[in-house]
Amino acid sequence: MLVNYYYLVCELCFSLSFALCILALLFGSPRLKRPFEWSPLRWLGMISYSLYMWHLPLLIAFIQLGPSLQQLPPALAYGLYGLLVLLLIIPFSFFFFLFVEKLGIKLGEHLQHQKQPTTTVPPVAPVPPTSKVPIPTNTIFAHHPLDNTRHLVLYIHHR
């Protein structure tokens, strides 16, 4: 019966351990944070999504279209794959980040700013009240800029 819950408990323990490591990095001592503030590592983190998306297709293309590395010793073959990652996949991911991701982010920000209404409210003229309740003379009705509904606005003059 305990074997049935092994994978659930194991996954839970791994998840909690990972979360505790992240919390230690975020709120821990500067000595823990220092390696993760290293500029090359931060740059690699910046292009990490492109790297994640493109490393496998490029490796598979190299394996299928490139020279066969099967006759080489495994250590040398993996070293050449590592060299391929350094010389081809990381630069490709960086250029993909620059010319696709970053432009997409800028385009999204531009479109988001176009959607947002202006924060300035146009001046409105006083509208005569239609109810029988006495309304002070310094009261006006204004149209809300987002949903075009009428709202009662009261201006108080300080003397």
Side-chain angles (χ1 to χ4, degrees):
M1 176 132 164
L2 196 56
V3 174
N4 293 341
Y5 295 107
Y6 171 76
Y7 293 107
L8 178 64
V9 171
C10 186
E11 291 295 322
L12 181 65
C13 289
F14 279 130
S15 300
L16 288 175
S17 300
F18 184 74
L20 289 174
C21 287
I22 296 295
L23 286 174
L25 288 173
L26 287 174
F27 302 110
S29 71
R31 276 187 17 201
L32 278 176
K33 296 177 188 179
R34 192 169 299 124
F36 296 97
E37 293 172 348
W38 187 42
S39 303
L41 194 59
R42 290 174 58 97
W43 177 82
L44 201 58
M46 182 182 65
I47 66 165
S48 65
Y49 184 71
S50 295
L51 195 58
Y52 165 73
M53 292 298 292
W54 286 104
H55 81 280
L56 189 60
L58 291 174
L59 276 176
I60 290 173
F62 180 76
I63 290 170
Q64 290 179 350
L65 303 174
S68 176
L69 302 179
Q70 292 179 352
Q71 69 275 11
L72 296 175
L76 182 60
Y78 283 115
L80 289 175
Y81 286 132
L83 193 63
L84 173 72
V85 168
L86 286 175
L87 297 178
L88 179 71
I89 296 175
I90 290 177
F92 180 84
S93 298
F94 175 66
F95 287 115
F96 189 83
F97 170 77
L98 280 181
F99 297 116
V100 176
E101 276 186 65
K102 209 167 187 179
L103 291 177
I105 291 169
K106 286 181 182 178
L107 178 65
E109 289 173 351
H110 177 71
L111 292 175
Q112 191 70 12
H113 286 349
Q114 280 184 344
K115 278 184 174 179
Q116 293 176 349
T118 59
T119 57
T120 59
V121 178
V124 291
V127 177
T130 57
S131 68
K132 296 184 185 210
V133 177
I135 298 177
T137 57
N138 55 353
T139 302
I140 64 167
F141 288 93
H143 288 280
H144 193 275
L146 294 179
D147 57 5
N148 205 20
T149 56
R150 288 173 45 141
H151 295 276
L152 185 66
V153 180
L154 177 64
Y155 293 100
I156 300 173
H157 297 284
H158 295 285
R159 294 182 192 222

